[in-house]
Amino acid sequence: MKPEPEDEPTQKLETKPRRLYQAWKGNNIFLCGGRLIFGPDAASLLLTTFLIISPTIIFCYQMKSKLHQSNTGQQHMHRAAVLIVIITTIMDMVFLFMTSARDPGIVPRNTRAPPEADDLLLGSSTPSMDWSGGTTPRMRFRRTKDAIVNGFTVKVKFCETCLRYRPPRSSHCSICNNCVHKFDHHCPWVGQCIGLRNYRYFFLFVATSTFLCIFVFVFAWLSVYSQMVDNGDSIWLALRKEAYSFALIIYTSIVVWFVGGLTVFHLYLIGTNQTTYENFRYRYDKNDNPYRKTLAENFAEVFLTKIPPPMNNFRSRVGEGALEAGFYTPYIGLGVTTPREKIDLDRENKEVLVGGMQIPTVLQNIDYGPFEDSSEDKDMNQGEKKVHFPSAWAQGNEGGGTSAAATTACNAETSEDDLNEIESRNTATTQTSAEANTEPLGQIDKMEGTLERKSQRSNTI
């Protein structure tokens, strides 16, 4: 029975591959089909917006109430002040949105180990093995490698979350769970990482906020001063009458220390071509900063250069389940197992006994090629020929000057009963080993023979 035409579009939508932002393993929040990218703490934008809009509304309300009480010159000044504050607030909100809603420079993730990470290091200094658990040593990629930047050698780290070596000046943000190019810091007030692609807008947001605070602070004091001059009041009485101005003075005097301090600090960072992360971690000075240029070039790099395109196209289609199968976060170490090192699961849980002893799992796949049977060992294992210790000792030492009397004495001390007991032990040991190894595992046969011969020698002695 043919499906109805209405079901065909539904089936096509179900088989349609997802977009990259839908399978992304970071902590970002995507809106508008992946066009807007926020951090996981984007809810803080509501608080930041409230702290910007509230004083603006209070200031505009106060200036409007004074229009009817002032002369023509003061009215023009009040209108200009209101216009400047509104324009500055709009610019501040635009810069805030441009900072928090765009890709800060997220570095693409790898679904598997990169080719340049083929040089592996053991997780410990010696190839020790966990005998009780039967596990092999864990392998790790080299954590750092050298890169040349402007004639300086800098170390780039391997990110075990993104499975790649980070580009220079990049760092992994634990909040967003992404590597960010030219990582500066994660700002909770904008709910986003600050990196290569939004640092310019972040600085403009902070600088605009500083200007807005200073402007409102100055005009609030002018209103208080005007009240003192017009009515001859004291400063305390004028502050009581100008309640809105007094509240704005307190608010802006507190906020300006934060945003103003950030503005000055980032002016210093821009002038020295540093990021906040580099300043606190490496403390570059003028001699060892590999990224520092002239003052004009440093400012031009931030404000006049073209912002590079994002390294991830979050609206692109990805194969169904491709990223889910490849992205993972090995925080401790990356276990690497080649096909030759894989042990069959059915065999892995079986106990292998040689000479009554349990062989660890990790030894079951070791190549014992170098431990070939010597000619003496082959002679000992041919048929049922048993060469006992006394006769072998006597034969081996005849050429070395051993007297016949000593040989006779040794044979006399070893009675026939003792020889039979030794032979019975050897036979029992051989039978035990044969029964325990009914299912030999490939190359383990050579190892069984070696351990069996050692057991026979120890029993004979």
Side-chain angles (χ1 to χ4, degrees):
M1 182 176 181
K2 295 183 179 180
E4 298 179 2
E6 297 179 356
D7 296 336
E8 294 181 358
T10 304
Q11 294 178 357
K12 291 182 179 179
L13 290 175
E14 292 178 353
T15 59
K16 196 173 183 179
R18 296 185 299 170
R19 297 188 184 273
L20 177 59
Y21 77 89
Q22 295 174 325
W24 188 253
K25 296 303 180 181
N27 299 331
N28 301 87
I29 300 174
F30 297 90
L31 298 178
C32 299
R35 294 178 177 87
L36 302 180
I37 306 172
F38 295 91
D41 49 351
S44 61
L45 285 172
L46 298 176
L47 177 60
T48 305
T49 303
F50 174 78
L51 294 177
I52 295 173
I53 297 296
S54 297
T56 300
I57 295 175
I58 295 174
F59 180 83
C60 293
Y61 176 79
Q62 183 190 25
M63 292 295 104
K64 183 180 178 181
S65 63
K66 288 181 176 296
L67 289 176
H68 304 289
Q69 304 174 2
S70 57
N71 54 38
T72 305
Q74 291 178 344
Q75 289 180 358
H76 291 309
M77 184 180 67
H78 291 159
R79 289 192 179 95
V82 171
L83 183 62
I84 292 174
V85 167
I86 292 176
I87 294 175
T88 306
T89 302
I90 294 175
M91 292 174 58
D92 205 20
M93 296 304 301
V94 170
F95 292 143
L96 174 63
F97 180 79
M98 295 294 291
T99 302
S100 60
R102 68 183 294 143
D103 183 350
I106 298 175
V107 179
R109 294 172 179 246
N110 280 337
T111 57
R112 57 183 59 85
E116 62 268 24
D118 290 339
D119 187 10
L120 299 178
L121 297 177
L122 283 173
S124 58
S125 57
T126 59
S128 60
M129 298 183 181
D130 187 1
W131 293 86
S132 60
T135 58
T136 55
R138 292 183 63 81
M139 310 295 286
R140 293 186 181 183
F141 292 118
R142 181 188 296 176
R143 294 190 60 84
T144 61
K145 70 175 184 178
D146 295 335
I148 305 300
V149 177
N150 298 328
F152 292 85
T153 301
V154 297
K155 290 187 178 297
V156 293
K157 293 183 178 181
F158 182 82
C159 180
E160 295 181 347
T161 302
C162 302
L163 291 179
R164 64 170 299 153
Y165 286 101
R166 303 168 187 162
R169 312 193 80 175
S170 300
S171 183
H172 191 88
C173 176
S174 59
I175 300 176
C176 294
N177 196 25
N178 294 316
C179 282
V180 179
H181 192 30
K182 200 178 180 181
F183 177 78
D184 190 87
H185 69 287
H186 183 92
C187 181
W189 295 103
V190 302
Q192 181 65 283
C193 287
I194 308 302
L196 176 65
R197 301 190 68 252
N198 64 349
Y199 180 79
R200 177 187 303 175
Y201 300 106
F202 170 77
F203 177 81
L204 293 176
F205 162 70
V206 173
T208 305
S209 300
T210 302
F211 173 80
L212 186 61
C213 285
I214 295 174
F215 189 86
V216 172
F217 178 82
V218 171
F219 263 82
W221 271 115
L222 288 176
S223 298
V224 174
Y225 179 76
S226 177
Q227 182 68 27
M228 292 173 56
V229 172
D230 294 343
N231 300 325
D233 298 331
S234 64
I235 184 173
W236 299 113
L237 185 58
L239 288 175
R240 290 179 59 183
K241 292 182 178 180
E242 294 287 340
Y244 292 121
S245 297
F246 183 55
L248 291 174
I249 289 172
I250 294 177
Y251 176 79
T252 55
S253 61
I254 295 174
V255 175
V256 75
W257 285 104
F258 294 98
V259 294
L262 276 175
T263 302
V264 174
F265 176 65
H266 281 279
L267 283 173
Y268 163 74
L269 293 179
I270 294 173
T272 56
N273 205 333
Q274 299 183 67
T275 64
T276 302
Y277 180 81
E278 292 170 348
N279 181 262
F280 283 93
R281 184 175 181 85
Y282 303 113
R283 297 191 177 276
Y284 286 138
D285 55 32
K286 62 177 66 177
N287 294 322
D288 60 3
N289 185 354
Y291 310 104
R292 187 167 185 173
K293 305 173 185 177
T294 63
L295 184 64
E297 290 176 339
N298 291 335
F299 275 89
E301 181 178 328
V302 175
F303 298 107
L304 301 180
T305 57
K306 184 180 179 181
I307 297 178
M311 290 180 279
N312 295 283
N313 183 9
F314 288 104
R315 289 185 50 78
S316 62
R317 300 284 182 181
V318 295
E320 184 66 27
L323 297 181
E324 293 180 357
F327 284 127
Y328 54 97
T329 307
Y331 287 104
I332 300 176
L334 184 61
V336 179
T337 305
T338 61
R340 293 183 179 180
E341 295 172 348
K342 290 183 178 179
I343 302 175
D344 185 37
L345 296 178
D346 295 333
R347 292 184 175 184
E348 186 174 353
N349 296 326
K350 293 181 180 180
E351 294 183 354
V352 179
L353 300 176
V354 176
M357 296 185 298
Q358 181 178 355
I359 303 302
T361 306
V362 295
L363 292 181
Q364 297 177 16
N365 276 17
I366 296 179
D367 184 9
Y368 289 88
F371 301 97
E372 297 292 343
D373 293 343
S374 61
S375 58
E376 181 182 356
D377 295 334
K378 292 181 180 179
D379 295 337
M380 293 179 61
N381 290 328
Q382 289 179 355
E384 295 182 357
K385 294 181 180 179
K386 303 293 182 180
V387 182
H388 302 297
F389 173 75
S391 59
W393 177 81
Q395 294 174 3
N397 289 279
E398 286 178 356
T402 305
S403 63
T407 304
T408 304
C410 181
N411 290 330
E413 292 176 0
T414 307
S415 62
E416 184 176 357
D417 294 335
D418 293 334
L419 296 177
N420 293 334
E421 182 179 356
I422 294 174
E423 185 174 356
S424 63
R425 290 181 181 177
N426 293 335
T427 304
T429 302
T430 305
Q431 292 177 354
T432 302
S433 301
E435 293 175 358
N437 294 277
T438 56
E439 295 181 9
L441 302 176
Q443 296 182 355
I444 203 70
D445 295 334
K446 296 182 180 180
M447 184 187 68
E448 292 176 0
T450 304
L451 293 179
E452 183 180 351
R453 290 192 297 274
K454 290 183 179 180
S455 177
Q456 291 177 358
R457 292 176 181 176
S458 62
N459 292 334
T460 304
I461 293 175

PDB file of all heavy atoms in Angstrom, residues 249-265:
ATOM      1  N   ILE A 249      23.906  60.202  41.567  1.00  0.00           N
ATOM      2  CA  ILE A 249      25.290  60.474  41.976  1.00  0.00           C
ATOM      3  C   ILE A 249      25.881  59.256  42.691  1.00  0.00           C
ATOM      4  O   ILE A 249      27.024  58.844  42.414  1.00  0.00           O
ATOM      5  CB  ILE A 249      25.345  61.728  42.867  1.00  0.00           C
ATOM      6  CG1 ILE A 249      25.077  62.979  42.035  1.00  0.00           C
ATOM      7  CG2 ILE A 249      26.708  61.834  43.552  1.00  0.00           C
ATOM      8  CD1 ILE A 249      24.915  64.237  42.868  1.00  0.00           C
ATOM      9  N   ILE A 250      25.124  58.696  43.605  1.00  0.00           N
ATOM     10  CA  ILE A 250      25.626  57.521  44.341  1.00  0.00           C
ATOM     11  C   ILE A 250      25.821  56.337  43.386  1.00  0.00           C
ATOM     12  O   ILE A 250      26.855  55.648  43.427  1.00  0.00           O
ATOM     13  CB  ILE A 250      24.643  57.158  45.465  1.00  0.00           C
ATOM     14  CG1 ILE A 250      24.605  58.274  46.520  1.00  0.00           C
ATOM     15  CG2 ILE A 250      25.057  55.833  46.122  1.00  0.00           C
ATOM     16  CD1 ILE A 250      23.606  58.026  47.626  1.00  0.00           C
ATOM     17  N   TYR A 251      24.832  56.086  42.535  1.00  0.00           N
ATOM     18  CA  TYR A 251      24.903  54.932  41.638  1.00  0.00           C
ATOM     19  C   TYR A 251      26.081  55.049  40.664  1.00  0.00           C
ATOM     20  O   TYR A 251      26.878  54.112  40.521  1.00  0.00           O
ATOM     21  CB  TYR A 251      23.587  54.806  40.872  1.00  0.00           C
ATOM     22  CG  TYR A 251      23.592  53.705  39.841  1.00  0.00           C
ATOM     23  CD1 TYR A 251      23.410  52.382  40.202  1.00  0.00           C
ATOM     24  CD2 TYR A 251      23.786  53.999  38.485  1.00  0.00           C
ATOM     25  CE1 TYR A 251      23.411  51.375  39.256  1.00  0.00           C
ATOM     26  CE2 TYR A 251      23.788  52.991  37.537  1.00  0.00           C
ATOM     27  CZ  TYR A 251      23.604  51.696  37.929  1.00  0.00           C
ATOM     28  OH  TYR A 251      23.622  50.693  36.985  1.00  0.00           O
ATOM     29  N   THR A 252      26.186  56.176  39.999  1.00  0.00           N
ATOM     30  CA  THR A 252      27.252  56.336  38.998  1.00  0.00           C
ATOM     31  C   THR A 252      28.642  56.397  39.632  1.00  0.00           C
ATOM     32  O   THR A 252      29.613  55.934  39.021  1.00  0.00           O
ATOM     33  CB  THR A 252      27.013  57.598  38.170  1.00  0.00           C
ATOM     34  OG1 THR A 252      26.876  58.732  39.047  1.00  0.00           O
ATOM     35  CG2 THR A 252      25.754  57.460  37.317  1.00  0.00           C
ATOM     36  N   SER A 253      28.732  56.943  40.843  1.00  0.00           N
ATOM     37  CA  SER A 253      30.044  56.995  41.502  1.00  0.00           C
ATOM     38  C   SER A 253      30.547  55.604  41.866  1.00  0.00           C
ATOM     39  O   SER A 253      31.762  55.378  41.949  1.00  0.00           O
ATOM     40  CB  SER A 253      29.965  57.875  42.755  1.00  0.00           C
ATOM     41  OG  SER A 253      29.035  57.337  43.684  1.00  0.00           O
ATOM     42  N   ILE A 254      29.634  54.667  42.087  1.00  0.00           N
ATOM     43  CA  ILE A 254      30.035  53.279  42.376  1.00  0.00           C
ATOM     44  C   ILE A 254      30.359  52.525  41.090  1.00  0.00           C
ATOM     45  O   ILE A 254      31.399  51.855  40.982  1.00  0.00           O
ATOM     46  CB  ILE A 254      28.915  52.559  43.160  1.00  0.00           C
ATOM     47  CG1 ILE A 254      28.735  53.200  44.539  1.00  0.00           C
ATOM     48  CG2 ILE A 254      29.243  51.070  43.316  1.00  0.00           C
ATOM     49  CD1 ILE A 254      27.558  52.637  45.325  1.00  0.00           C
ATOM     50  N   VAL A 255      29.484  52.630  40.108  1.00  0.00           N
ATOM     51  CA  VAL A 255      29.655  51.867  38.867  1.00  0.00           C
ATOM     52  C   VAL A 255      30.878  52.333  38.087  1.00  0.00           C
ATOM     53  O   VAL A 255      31.568  51.527  37.446  1.00  0.00           O
ATOM     54  CB  VAL A 255      28.379  51.963  38.008  1.00  0.00           C
ATOM     55  CG1 VAL A 255      28.580  51.281  36.665  1.00  0.00           C
ATOM     56  CG2 VAL A 255      27.203  51.349  38.743  1.00  0.00           C
ATOM     57  N   VAL A 256      31.174  53.632  38.129  1.00  0.00           N
ATOM     58  CA  VAL A 256      32.268  54.153  37.317  1.00  0.00           C
ATOM     59  C   VAL A 256      33.612  53.572  37.733  1.00  0.00           C
ATOM     60  O   VAL A 256      34.541  53.500  36.918  1.00  0.00           O
ATOM     61  CB  VAL A 256      32.295  55.697  37.377  1.00  0.00           C
ATOM     62  CG1 VAL A 256      32.858  56.168  38.718  1.00  0.00           C
ATOM     63  CG2 VAL A 256      33.098  56.270  36.222  1.00  0.00           C
ATOM     64  N   TRP A 257      33.733  53.153  38.997  1.00  0.00           N
ATOM     65  CA  TRP A 257      34.996  52.546  39.422  1.00  0.00           C
ATOM     66  C   TRP A 257      35.227  51.217  38.706  1.00  0.00           C
ATOM     67  O   TRP A 257      36.366  50.856  38.411  1.00  0.00           O
ATOM     68  CB  TRP A 257      34.998  52.339  40.939  1.00  0.00           C
ATOM     69  CG  TRP A 257      35.205  53.603  41.698  1.00  0.00           C
ATOM     70  CD1 TRP A 257      34.276  54.328  42.366  1.00  0.00           C
ATOM     71  CD2 TRP A 257      36.446  54.301  41.847  1.00  0.00           C
ATOM     72  NE1 TRP A 257      34.844  55.447  42.927  1.00  0.00           N
ATOM     73  CE2 TRP A 257      36.187  55.458  42.625  1.00  0.00           C
ATOM     74  CE3 TRP A 257      37.751  54.084  41.408  1.00  0.00           C
ATOM     75  CZ2 TRP A 257      37.167  56.366  42.965  1.00  0.00           C
ATOM     76  CZ3 TRP A 257      38.736  54.991  41.753  1.00  0.00           C
ATOM     77  CH2 TRP A 257      38.450  56.113  42.520  1.00  0.00           C
ATOM     78  N   PHE A 258      34.162  50.481  38.434  1.00  0.00           N
ATOM     79  CA  PHE A 258      34.297  49.181  37.766  1.00  0.00           C
ATOM     80  C   PHE A 258      34.514  49.355  36.257  1.00  0.00           C
ATOM     81  O   PHE A 258      35.512  48.861  35.707  1.00  0.00           O
ATOM     82  CB  PHE A 258      33.057  48.327  38.042  1.00  0.00           C
ATOM     83  CG  PHE A 258      32.907  47.943  39.481  1.00  0.00           C
ATOM     84  CD1 PHE A 258      32.073  48.662  40.322  1.00  0.00           C
ATOM     85  CD2 PHE A 258      33.590  46.858  39.999  1.00  0.00           C
ATOM     86  CE1 PHE A 258      31.932  48.305  41.654  1.00  0.00           C
ATOM     87  CE2 PHE A 258      33.461  46.490  41.328  1.00  0.00           C
ATOM     88  CZ  PHE A 258      32.622  47.221  42.161  1.00  0.00           C
ATOM     89  N   VAL A 259      33.570  50.036  35.618  1.00  0.00           N
ATOM     90  CA  VAL A 259      33.678  50.172  34.165  1.00  0.00           C
ATOM     91  C   VAL A 259      34.839  51.099  33.790  1.00  0.00           C
ATOM     92  O   VAL A 259      35.526  50.879  32.779  1.00  0.00           O
ATOM     93  CB  VAL A 259      32.354  50.666  33.567  1.00  0.00           C
ATOM     94  CG1 VAL A 259      31.266  49.617  33.743  1.00  0.00           C
ATOM     95  CG2 VAL A 259      31.921  51.992  34.195  1.00  0.00           C
ATOM     96  N   GLY A 260      35.067  52.129  34.587  1.00  0.00           N
ATOM     97  CA  GLY A 260      36.207  53.011  34.315  1.00  0.00           C
ATOM     98  C   GLY A 260      37.535  52.317  34.508  1.00  0.00           C
ATOM     99  O   GLY A 260      38.462  52.482  33.705  1.00  0.00           O
ATOM    100  N   GLY A 261      37.627  51.501  35.569  1.00  0.00           N
ATOM    101  CA  GLY A 261      38.858  50.740  35.771  1.00  0.00           C
ATOM    102  C   GLY A 261      39.101  49.734  34.661  1.00  0.00           C
ATOM    103  O   GLY A 261      40.244  49.548  34.212  1.00  0.00           O
ATOM    104  N   LEU A 262      38.015  49.082  34.195  1.00  0.00           N
ATOM    105  CA  LEU A 262      38.162  48.158  33.070  1.00  0.00           C
ATOM    106  C   LEU A 262      38.614  48.883  31.812  1.00  0.00           C
ATOM    107  O   LEU A 262      39.447  48.362  31.046  1.00  0.00           O
ATOM    108  CB  LEU A 262      36.838  47.440  32.808  1.00  0.00           C
ATOM    109  CG  LEU A 262      36.537  46.208  33.659  1.00  0.00           C
ATOM    110  CD1 LEU A 262      35.140  45.690  33.345  1.00  0.00           C
ATOM    111  CD2 LEU A 262      37.569  45.124  33.427  1.00  0.00           C
ATOM    112  N   THR A 263      38.073  50.074  31.572  1.00  0.00           N
ATOM    113  CA  THR A 263      38.458  50.831  30.372  1.00  0.00           C
ATOM    114  C   THR A 263      39.941  51.171  30.396  1.00  0.00           C
ATOM    115  O   THR A 263      40.659  50.988  29.399  1.00  0.00           O
ATOM    116  CB  THR A 263      37.621  52.111  30.274  1.00  0.00           C
ATOM    117  OG1 THR A 263      36.232  51.767  30.247  1.00  0.00           O
ATOM    118  CG2 THR A 263      37.969  52.886  29.017  1.00  0.00           C
ATOM    119  N   VAL A 264      40.422  51.663  31.516  1.00  0.00           N
ATOM    120  CA  VAL A 264      41.842  52.013  31.627  1.00  0.00           C
ATOM    121  C   VAL A 264      42.717  50.765  31.494  1.00  0.00           C
ATOM    122  O   VAL A 264      43.753  50.775  30.800  1.00  0.00           O
ATOM    123  CB  VAL A 264      42.108  52.728  32.963  1.00  0.00           C
ATOM    124  CG1 VAL A 264      43.607  52.973  33.155  1.00  0.00           C
ATOM    125  CG2 VAL A 264      41.349  54.046  33.016  1.00  0.00           C
ATOM    126  N   PHE A 265      42.320  49.677  32.131  1.00  0.00           N
ATOM    127  CA  PHE A 265      43.112  48.451  32.079  1.00  0.00           C
ATOM    128  C   PHE A 265      43.190  47.907  30.659  1.00  0.00           C
ATOM    129  O   PHE A 265      44.270  47.492  30.190  1.00  0.00           O
ATOM    130  CB  PHE A 265      42.494  47.414  33.017  1.00  0.00           C
ATOM    131  CG  PHE A 265      43.177  46.074  32.984  1.00  0.00           C
ATOM    132  CD1 PHE A 265      44.488  45.921  33.410  1.00  0.00           C
ATOM    133  CD2 PHE A 265      42.502  44.956  32.517  1.00  0.00           C
ATOM    134  CE1 PHE A 265      45.116  44.692  33.377  1.00  0.00           C
ATOM    135  CE2 PHE A 265      43.114  43.722  32.483  1.00  0.00           C
ATOM    136  CZ  PHE A 265      44.429  43.590  32.912  1.00  0.00           C
TER     137      PHE A 265
END
